[in-house]
Amino acid sequence: MHLGEAVPRTLLRRGVWRGDCALEELFVRRERLAGGGRHKVWRCSGGEGGGEFAVKEYDLADARTCLREAALLERLHHPAVVRVVAVFRNGDKVMMQMPYLEDGSVDVWVNVSVPPPLWTAVRGVMHDVTGALAHLHASGVVHADVKPANILIGPGGRGVLADFDIAVDSGARTTQQYLATTRHRVGWTPGFEAPELAETGSTAATDVFALGQTVAALRDKCVEAERAASAAEVDAFVAALTAREPEARPSADEAGQH
């Protein structure tokens, strides 16, 4: 009843909010994708205007998260940040429509591609992602869950940062009570969490730590012979990003210039 009143003005102003729309009426072909993290994700095509889309499904009880994430993506607008196409209500669900990227996430890309992608190509993807993180941090946003599964491969092998479910947006115009509960929001994937995370909450420095763990995970999946030539340099880079003390880590912008 009150969902329309909760829609952020930016989504209304830019025509992203489409109100009530049935998924089966919008798209001829619909396929649920495996995985998808906390929410179901559908691969949809055959709709108005053509193209393929990934449509992320939220329960109505979680509509606020969906609307907040969509508004955040609209505000960020960066080539290496996933783009929101539309948000709509589908029965007792709220759906967020985004472009479908055929190559999937970077961890799938390095695991299933034959032959595996060159390490230089993976470095290019990570360079795009560091640019996205630098843009986020300059905008007062912390991603809070950087990991290979949240980095997609876009057209031309470019990196795209996705899944902003638990991102912390200190630049949003919202209530002080909401800021107090989200500024130090703690969300992570085991193996990518910074040592200070439980104490400080998600920060730009914890994003950089997770970035370092992501580089390490991807490095270990790439062709051994190719990696050996620059192993020492990459190891030193990972060590800097994952330094135990947050202040010893480079910024995302500095990491992108490495």
Side-chain angles (χ1 to χ4, degrees), residues 193-197 199-200 205-206 209 213 238-250:
E193 72 275 25
E196 76 277 8
L197 184 63
E199 180 180 345
T200 66
T206 65
F209 184 95
Q213 294 293 80
V238 170
L241 295 177
T242 58
R244 181 164 186 83
E245 298 302 324
E247 58 272 15
R249 300 169 201 153

Side-chain angles (χ1 to χ4, degrees), residues 188-218:
W188 70 85
T189 298
F192 295 86
E193 72 275 25
E196 76 277 8
L197 184 63
E199 180 180 345
T200 66
S202 300
T203 66
T206 65
D207 270 357
V208 169
F209 184 95
L211 176 70
Q213 294 293 80
T214 297
V215 173
L218 295 174

Side-chain angles (χ1 to χ4, degrees), residues 87-191:
V87 181
F88 56 93
R89 178 175 175 173
N90 178 39
D92 63 348
K93 307 293 182 183
V94 180
M95 320 293 280
M96 183 161 61
Q97 179 183 345
M98 298 162 285
Y100 177 77
L101 302 180
E102 183 71 36
D103 287 320
S105 59
V106 69
D107 52 343
V108 172
W109 188 53
V110 300
N111 277 312
V112 305
S113 296
V114 179
L118 297 175
W119 176 235
T120 51
V122 178
R123 285 173 60 178
V125 168
M126 295 310 300
H127 181 265
D128 293 334
V129 170
T130 58
L133 281 177
H135 177 65
L136 261 64
H137 296 167
S139 303
V141 176
V142 175
H143 185 275
D145 198 17
V146 178
K147 60 183 177 182
N150 287 340
I151 297 170
L152 306 179
I153 306 301
R158 305 305 300 265
V160 179
L161 188 60
D163 200 343
F164 285 70
D165 276 12
I166 60 173
V168 179
D169 181 9
S170 61
R173 296 178 62 185
T174 185
T175 65
Q176 289 301 313
Q177 180 180 6
Y178 185 60
L179 275 178
T181 60
T182 59
R183 183 176 285 120
H184 296 304
R185 180 178 300 186
V186 177
W188 70 85
T189 298

